[in-house]
Amino acid sequence: MSKECPERAQVVIIGGGVVGCSVAYHLAELGWTDVVLLERKALTSGTTWHAAGLVGQLRATHNLTRLAQYTTDLYENLEKITGQATGFRQTGSLSLATDAERFEELKRGASMASCFGLEVEVISPQEALELYPIMSTKDLVGAVYLPRDGQTNPTDTTQALARGARDKGVRILEKTPVLSFEKTGGRISAVITDRGRIACDVVVNCAGMWGRGVGEMAGVSVPLHAAEHFYVVTEPIPDLPRNLPVVREPSVCNYYKEDAGKLMVGMFEPVAKPWGMKGIPEDFEFGTLPEDVEQIEIPLAHAVERIPVLGQTGIKIFFNGPESFTPDNRYLLGPSPEVPNFFVAAGFNSIGIQSAGGAGKVLAEWIVNGQPPMDLWDVDIRRMMPFQKNRNYLHDRTVEALGLLYAMHWPFRQPESARGARTSPFHLRLEKSGACFGETAGWERANWFGPKGVTPEYQYSYGKQNWFGYSAAEHQAVRESVGVFDMSSFGKFLLQGADARQVLNRVSANEVDVDQGRVVYTQWLNDQGGIEADLTVTRISEEEYLVVTAGASQTRDFHWLRSSIQASEKAWLTDMTAAYGVLSVMGPRSRDLLQMLTPADLSNEAFPFGCSREIELGYAIVRASRISYVGELGWELYIPSDFALGVFDRLFEAGEGVALAPAGLHALNSLRIEKAYRHWGHDIGPEDDPLAAGLGFAVSWDKAGGFRGRDALLNLADKPLTRRMTQFLLEDPEKMLYHEEPIWRDGKRVGRTTSGMYGHTLGGCVGLGYVEHAEGVDRQFINEGCWEIEIAGERIAAKASLSPLYDPKSERVKM
């Protein structure tokens, strides 16, 4: 350990756990060796040292799986590279199913894994027993086996990463707590430690469960909270095989790992115990928490049922140690939106060991290159809302968060804790109308409406859930008459100033230098031509634009636009999200309804598609924008929050004469997917360009000054499209699509779905997904193929189309 505190470093990393050491290692691999890693006590002394050391590869999405795969490959070779033993063993893993729906979840995961190139096998209980002969197969339905999963020694692996970093010049200072930061021009200019001041260009917060406090010192929101995590280790078991795979039995919240002739049994109980509400003790180092046998009594009893030898074996260790968890159970990675040179890699939700290699690699590349090497939206810290750092919110959500690791990952599953944080002006009206609310970015949003006498609660399954018929009626109302959606969760930004047009036109792929009162649909692209945002821009006046984006990407898109304003430009950005309630009035009778309430002329000639203007409605002045995300005639109404309820009531009073129906977000999704409208974060993202996504119509190639990403798109424009977004309709109306299902053409896997929903007008499940073919994907390739979508290992026949299957000429939105 170096004892000298340098006066300056290019990068300062805070936190000496496995993640911090991985970031240091990968920065050094990229040639950035002027790096200092600061650890408040000793390396691994926070939570890394007591991690279970499981190394699994299959995650919930493609890119998170890619990161986990890289981690496995790194650990497999790390001892050879550094000379430091890691204890890594590729024993494989088994996931057990004790009921049909859990088995479907596992089989869907196996189908998804096949898209990612993972070795995966769906096996019978007898085959599982052959791999794990000490367990009981009582009540087992089936299992999934991943032969390349494994386990490692957390402390040794961290020390290997540290050695690899040191060998290339990284300085690691233990027993060096960070006390504060200095800022210059809104950026961190120095880190103050108890051993001196270190000037720096970049700071990386890898402080684990201390990450929230470190963020607060820098003025950065890092929403995470610690929870108690339990496992037990048995006495040595005679003749225990050393090559046993790791076993996960999620239905009883347990995992089982062979550990030097003993068995470790870990638990992710559904009602967790948050810890550290009053702060983490200053002397906490290699710390443990008090035993609580009652907390794990039920999972432990299940463990004995599954592995009978546990009933005859003593327990050597009852372990309880803290782990940090985030509000949505995904870790926090990337640059903070508040401080430009402050990066975060924290909140790993008890999967830090299996995530550290990949997370460290991509964050290092992000720091060095100024942009991420892949789409990291799943874990991008900018998905978080500012309020989510609230201590009470984090405490209450953490009660649930730990158990979600092994809970059923139902389609449309909603969190149950810390609800009601963020509500629209219409919330109580919608609740009275029978709304069942879901949560996105803290917003309570009406997902569906139960009729009178029906309790609006989810009953989850992988098939048609209890709300299916109610949402179908909402869908039909929008197609045939008129429906109203509460879209107040939209992120709404006002860009003002003499250079507002210049800024937006440089950022946007489409032309935004349009007449006042026009709405422009556009993407914001990165330098590779990938889609960083998908939104609308409305020109309010000569020097004012309204930018409207999805609620989930509010923080990220605000940060992207604000960061794009150059120092010399006269433009300023204001977040107006809370200032307006938004009602989306959609359907063929939407004009009839609104015309009853306003003197404004809403005819097609006077108010064409893409027009936006202020109109009188009820007693209010509202901005009405004629656009659609459902494929029907309609308007979005932006209502000042203090007038919102009055407009809502007038709208629904008048609506009785035109069969107006309140509609939820599930119906919105089924409507948009029938029309093949893309959804950012699912169908399009930073690795998808507008040409592959079928959005070339929204690119203004020749506008004055060009736009960011134009050169990259021009390089693609004259080449055959080898990857294209395609729409699919399943021929079996009972099968359900969600996302990440393999796409097959003539018996060959050629892609995967990105989103899916039942299309009530088309009469079956509709999916969107990318199809790849080296010689090009054109209409002939699509039309002449025999198409199937794989669902839980079964291939289902499907119709494929490059054009929307519903209203392909978009005639209905322009009625």
Side-chain angles (χ1 to χ4, degrees):
M1 180 187 77
S2 171
K3 296 182 179 180
E4 182 182 354
C5 186
E7 294 182 359
R8 169 168 188 82
Q10 189 174 14
V11 181
V12 173
I13 300 169
I14 302 168
V18 67
V19 175
C21 289
S22 178
V23 174
Y25 174 89
H26 286 95
L27 282 171
E29 286 286 297
L30 293 172
W32 280 33
T33 57
D34 185 14
V35 175
V36 173
L37 185 149
L38 304 176
E39 165 53 46
R40 60 183 287 276
K41 296 294 185 181
L43 293 185
T44 78
S45 64
T47 61
T48 294
W49 72 275
H50 64 70
L54 310 186
V55 184
Q57 299 175 89
L58 181 58
R59 308 305 306 159
T61 64
H62 182 207
N63 282 347
L64 292 188
T65 299
R66 286 167 61 187
L67 296 186
Q69 287 176 284
Y70 170 80
T71 299
T72 301
D73 293 339
L74 174 67
Y75 292 172
E76 187 176 6
N77 298 295
L78 195 55
E79 181 174 347
K80 187 186 301 181
I81 295 169
T82 66
Q84 164 74 45
T86 63
F88 177 75
R89 293 190 292 139
Q90 215 152 31
T91 56
S93 75
L94 273 174
S95 293
L96 308 180
T98 55
D99 59 67
E101 293 203 292
R102 179 70 74 171
F103 197 30
E104 176 161 358
E105 178 188 48
L106 295 180
K107 288 188 291 183
R108 282 178 175 266
S111 289
M112 180 177 69
S114 68
C115 293
F116 309 156
L118 283 183
E119 293 181 48
V120 59
E121 301 172 29
V122 177
I123 62 176
S124 67
Q126 182 57 40
E127 290 170 314
L129 182 62
E130 292 169 7
L131 291 165
Y132 206 87
I134 63 170
M135 74 173 173
S136 166
T137 58
K138 178 185 176 183
D139 72 8
L140 276 193
V141 175
V144 165
Y145 176 53
L146 283 88
R148 294 197 71 243
D149 280 1
Q151 57 190 74
T152 196
N153 182 297
T155 298
D156 290 346
T157 300
T158 304
Q159 293 292 353
L161 291 166
R163 176 180 288 188
R166 282 194 192 98
D167 288 348
K168 290 184 179 292
V170 172
R171 287 166 287 186
I172 296 178
L173 305 182
E174 298 180 88
K175 300 190 184 304
T176 310
V178 172
L179 304 179
S180 63
F181 298 100
E182 288 182 7
K183 283 186 179 179
T184 303
R187 300 171 67 90
I188 304 293
S189 54
V191 179
I192 309 303
T193 79
D194 68 348
R195 293 166 61 180
R197 175 184 183 274
I198 308 174
C200 62
D201 300 321
V202 174
V203 173
V204 189
N205 178 0
C206 301
M209 60 185 177
W210 289 269
R212 182 181 182 279
V214 170
E216 280 188 331
M217 286 194 291
V220 171
S221 175
V222 183
L224 55 80
H225 199 294
E228 300 183 24
H229 177 49
F230 300 87
Y231 61 73
V232 300
V233 180
T234 70
E235 297 285 354
I237 299 175
D239 302 319
L240 184 68
R242 289 299 309 276
N243 62 344
L244 290 174
V246 171
V247 171
R248 296 176 177 86
E249 189 176 7
S251 59
V252 296
C253 312
N254 287 340
Y255 62 86
Y256 315 113
K257 186 190 84 163
E258 186 276 329
D259 184 21
K262 304 179 284 293
L263 277 179
M264 172 189 286
V265 181
M267 299 86 174
F268 289 103
E269 65 277 15
V271 180
K273 296 178 64 179
W275 179 78
M277 286 72 73
K278 297 180 180 179
I280 302 170
E282 180 60 34
D283 61 353
F284 196 85
E285 179 183 13
F286 298 108
T288 61
L289 305 178
E291 294 180 5
D292 187 349
V293 178
E294 185 176 342
Q295 177 75 6
I296 61 172
E297 189 174 10
I298 293 175
L300 194 56
H302 286 301
V304 173
E305 292 179 6
R306 182 61 59 207
I307 306 177
V309 70
L310 290 173
Q312 291 84 47
T313 306
I315 294 177
K316 184 177 182 179
I317 300 172
F318 279 92
F319 185 85
N320 182 9
E323 300 269 4
S324 61
F325 292 83
T326 64
D328 62 3
N329 238 227
R330 289 177 276 136
Y331 52 88
L332 308 172
L333 200 69
S336 70
E338 300 94 343
V339 179
N341 63 335
F342 189 95
F343 287 75
V344 178
F348 277 82
N349 303 283
S350 205
I351 59 167
I353 299 299
Q354 62 187 288
S355 304
K361 178 180 185 293
V362 294
L363 188 63
E365 293 175 3
W366 204 335
I367 293 167
V368 170
N369 299 323
Q371 56 195 14
M374 58 196 292
D375 179 5
L376 294 169
W377 171 241
D378 291 321
V379 292
D380 192 327
I381 190 172
R382 293 171 296 176
R383 74 187 185 277
M384 290 295 166
M385 299 295 121
F387 87 91
Q388 290 179 304
K389 68 180 180 182
N390 178 281
R391 286 177 171 85
N392 289 333
Y393 170 84
L394 288 170
H395 170 275
D396 293 351
R397 177 55 60 85
T398 301
V399 171
E400 179 184 17
L402 178 143
L404 292 179
L405 269 78
Y406 281 8
M408 280 289 292
H409 299 95
W410 296 114
F412 312 106
R413 189 189 193 284
Q414 303 298 324
E416 298 175 4
S417 58
R419 294 294 299 269
R422 207 175 177 196
T423 59
S424 86
F426 313 112
H427 182 82
L428 293 179
R429 296 288 198 276
L430 299 175
E431 186 175 50
K432 188 176 181 180
S433 298
C436 183
F437 294 97
E439 186 214 58
T440 296
W443 283 103
E444 294 292 323
R445 307 198 305 176
N447 280 347
W448 55 276
F449 290 83
K452 189 174 182 180
V454 171
T455 302
E457 294 178 350
Y458 279 93
Q459 295 172 17
Y460 296 116
S461 78
Y462 273 96
K464 297 174 180 177
Q465 297 183 9
N466 63 310
W467 48 267
F468 182 86
Y470 312 138
S471 187
E474 298 163 25
H475 178 114
Q476 183 179 8
V478 174
R479 287 280 184 251
E480 298 179 359
S481 54
V482 60
V484 172
F485 303 88
D486 175 13
M487 302 306 296
S488 302
S489 59
F490 277 155
K492 301 172 278 286
F493 317 139
L494 187 63
L495 184 68
Q496 299 169 285
D499 293 324
R501 176 199 56 78
Q502 175 178 299
V503 171
L504 266 177
N505 234 7
R506 184 176 64 248
V507 172
S508 303
N510 212 344
E511 177 65 74
V512 301
D513 188 6
V514 294
D515 293 339
Q516 296 176 28
R518 295 299 299 173
V519 182
V520 177
Y521 170 59
T522 188
Q523 286 77 47
W524 293 348
L525 308 181
N526 55 39
D527 293 332
Q528 291 71 44
I531 301 170
E532 294 287 344
D534 179 73
L535 39 74
T536 61
V537 173
T538 302
R539 193 165 198 174
I540 303 299
S541 68
E542 182 68 21
E543 297 185 357
E544 289 182 301
Y545 286 87
L546 175 67
V547 178
V548 178
T549 189
S553 53
Q554 174 187 339
T555 300
R556 187 183 192 275
D557 293 347
F558 187 88
H559 174 252
W560 185 271
L561 184 54
R562 186 180 61 185
S563 301
S564 300
I565 302 172
Q566 298 173 3
S568 61
E569 290 178 317
K570 297 176 181 177
W572 63 95
L573 186 65
T574 308
D575 191 328
M576 306 293 290
T577 299
Y580 297 95
V582 181
L583 294 175
S584 181
V585 183
M586 296 288 152
R589 301 201 66 184
S590 57
R591 181 182 285 118
D592 299 338
L593 170 60
L594 293 175
Q595 197 65 81
M596 287 189 268
L597 301 172
T598 181
D601 185 353
L602 302 183
S603 67
N604 209 32
E605 295 73 25
F607 210 128
F609 184 77
C611 178
S612 177
R613 62 176 63 124
E614 289 187 337
I615 65 172
E616 297 178 25
L617 198 63
Y619 294 140
I621 305 296
V622 309
R623 173 161 295 280
S625 297
R626 190 178 162 193
I627 53 178
S628 178
Y629 193 52
V630 299
E632 301 293 341
L633 171 70
W635 281 261
E636 288 176 356
L637 307 178
Y638 294 80
I639 312 162
S641 293
D642 46 346
F643 287 89
L645 285 181
V647 171
F648 182 96
D649 291 342
R650 293 292 292 272
L651 194 67
F652 274 83
E653 287 169 9
E656 293 181 4
V658 291
L660 172 66
L665 274 294
H666 291 338
L668 182 81
N669 197 35
S670 63
L671 290 158
R672 73 93 186 169
I673 210 165
E674 282 191 330
K675 191 66 177 68
Y677 287 146
R678 281 54 165 159
H679 183 277
W680 193 90
H682 287 94
D683 309 310
I684 51 177
E687 293 184 90
D688 307 308
D689 64 81
L691 303 181
L695 299 173
F697 66 88
V699 176
S700 182
W701 295 95
D702 300 322
K703 67 177 177 176
F707 55 90
R708 184 174 182 180
R710 179 177 181 272
D711 291 344
L713 283 191
L714 284 174
N715 289 332
L716 298 172
D718 297 328
K719 299 175 183 177
L721 288 173
T722 60
R723 179 175 182 265
R724 294 187 73 173
M725 173 63 72
T726 307
Q727 188 182 35
F728 298 90
L729 173 64
L730 294 186
E731 293 185 7
D732 184 343
E734 297 304 312
K735 297 294 184 180
M736 303 297 288
L737 288 175
Y738 299 110
H739 60 86
E740 308 287 4
E741 293 97 354
I743 299 169
W744 295 80
R745 180 187 186 272
D746 296 341
K748 181 181 179 182
R749 190 173 60 237
V750 294
R752 58 189 172 86
T753 62
T754 52
S755 60
M757 195 74 173
Y758 201 90
H760 299 285
T761 308
L762 296 177
C765 224
V766 184
L768 296 178
Y770 286 97
V771 169
E772 299 184 44
H773 181 55
E775 297 176 14
V777 179
D778 56 17
R779 291 190 185 276
Q780 182 178 358
F781 180 82
I782 296 296
N783 295 338
E784 293 181 358
C786 179
W787 296 92
E788 297 170 306
I789 309 292
E790 181 182 330
I791 301 174
E794 180 184 2
R795 296 187 203 174
I796 309 300
K799 177 182 179 181
S801 177
L802 288 177
S803 300
L805 292 169
Y806 179 80
D807 189 22
K809 295 182 180 180
S810 295
E811 295 170 333
R812 295 181 66 84
V813 299
K814 299 173 183 178
M815 293 169 58

